[in-house]
Amino acid sequence: GNSVTQMEGPVTLSEEAFLTINCTYTATGYPSLFWYVQYPGEGLQLLLKATKADDKGSNKGFEATYRKETTSFHLEKGSVQVSDSAVYFCALSANLKAAGNKLTFGGGTRVLVKP
Amino acid sequence: DSGVTQTPKHLITATGQRVTLRCSPRSGDLSVYWYQQSLDQGLQFLIQYYNGEERAKGNILERFSAQQFPDLHSELNLSSLELGDSALYFCASSVEQGSNTEAFFGQGTRLTVV
């Protein structure tokens, strides 16, 4: 079945540091890949997505590139802010009609940015 | 604000009881999904409805059931509750079914079973 593995947290950084969260996946076919962010007490928000190999998703300074050869979708940000403190989830949606388009999530990575 | 509304926000109930969680999708969205977020299991897909019909099923217990009504709102019914059912239950909606379609999440219902 489909699965997503992401690095465990928490990840603690200082403001303006570089952030990388690793994500690898196993899937049948050609999935779409997503990063969602969950701020304290809130639901999940889509941060960025990529729908095919070599696509780069970007939003709010965050980037991730769909690497089919390494089955990875690592999230990066060059200079984090305190407001980026949240839990980040990598997810995939299998492009199979029989599976609907449910999201399969990784375990989440908590990021704490200190001033 | 994602446009997805879930009620109630918090629910505390006793073991053996039954509860109903409600979700109103974004205006125009035909697909509704239910997810369970717990400390030990992470975020797990439960079930998806599309325009009133069940579309996909995940790790949903037999004690749980859901439906989507003609006005597209959805309800998740949890019965014979156990302590282990304590979790955050999210509803999400999307306009269609494609795998690259963005799903919008509600703020969740936190269920505590005591």
Side-chain angles (χ1 to χ4, degrees):
Chain A
N2 299 332
S3 66
V4 176
T5 303
Q6 61 182 105
M7 57 190 288
E8 289 191 23
V11 174
T12 303
L13 302 163
S14 296
E15 215 166 14
E16 298 184 5
F18 185 86
L19 170 68
T20 298
I21 303 176
N22 290 339
C23 170
T24 57
Y25 68 89
T26 302
T28 306
Y30 303 95
S32 294
L33 302 174
F34 305 82
W35 277 100
Y36 278 83
V37 58
Q38 185 178 27
Y39 298 104
E42 298 187 13
L44 283 79
Q45 301 173 27
L46 179 66
L47 184 57
L48 53 85
K49 70 179 185 182
T51 58
K52 61 183 188 298
D54 299 325
D55 265 3
K56 177 187 279 189
S58 60
N59 185 26
K60 299 181 181 178
F62 290 90
E63 291 184 344
T65 301
Y66 190 143
R67 301 285 187 203
K68 192 169 186 301
E69 64 277 12
T70 55
T71 62
S72 65
F73 192 54
H74 305 321
L75 182 68
E76 296 182 336
K77 185 174 185 182
S79 176
V80 294
Q81 305 300 313
V82 172
S83 57
D84 294 324
S85 298
V87 181
Y88 292 81
F89 292 91
C90 185
L92 69 83
S93 178
N95 191 20
L96 294 172
K97 284 186 178 178
N101 55 317
K102 65 177 183 181
L103 289 163
T104 299
F105 286 93
T109 302
R110 183 175 300 277
V111 173
L112 176 61
V113 180
K114 296 186 173 179
Chain B
D1 183 4
S2 67
V4 178
T5 304
Q6 290 188 248
T7 57
K9 282 190 169 44
H10 301 276
L11 200 47
I12 301 176
T13 190
T15 54
Q17 294 299 304
R18 171 190 168 94
V19 296
T20 297
L21 312 184
R22 182 187 169 99
C23 170
S24 294
R26 288 190 324 153
S27 176
D29 284 0
L30 298 178
S31 266
V32 169
Y33 315 77
W34 287 97
Y35 291 86
Q36 179 194 60
Q37 185 178 33
S38 61
L39 283 176
D40 54 345
Q41 297 287 330
L43 263 164
Q44 299 278 323
F45 168 74
L46 296 178
I47 197 163
Q48 177 195 357
Y49 279 83
Y50 178 77
N51 203 20
E53 304 270 335
E54 183 183 301
R55 186 66 181 90
K57 223 169 186 176
N59 300 322
I60 188 166
L61 299 171
E62 283 193 13
R63 301 183 283 109
F64 296 0
S65 64
Q67 54 184 325
Q68 186 180 27
F69 294 87
D71 66 354
L72 300 177
H73 91 271
S74 178
E75 293 181 356
L76 179 67
N77 300 297
L78 316 176
S79 61
S80 303
L81 284 167
E82 302 174 0
L83 295 178
D85 297 327
S86 296
L88 195 50
Y89 291 84
F90 284 110
C91 170
S93 73
S94 66
V95 67
E96 56 184 53
Q97 295 196 83
S99 66
N100 58 359
T101 301
E102 177 178 353
F104 293 84
F105 283 76
Q107 293 202 332
T109 293
R110 183 169 294 282
L111 173 66
T112 303
V113 182
V114 297

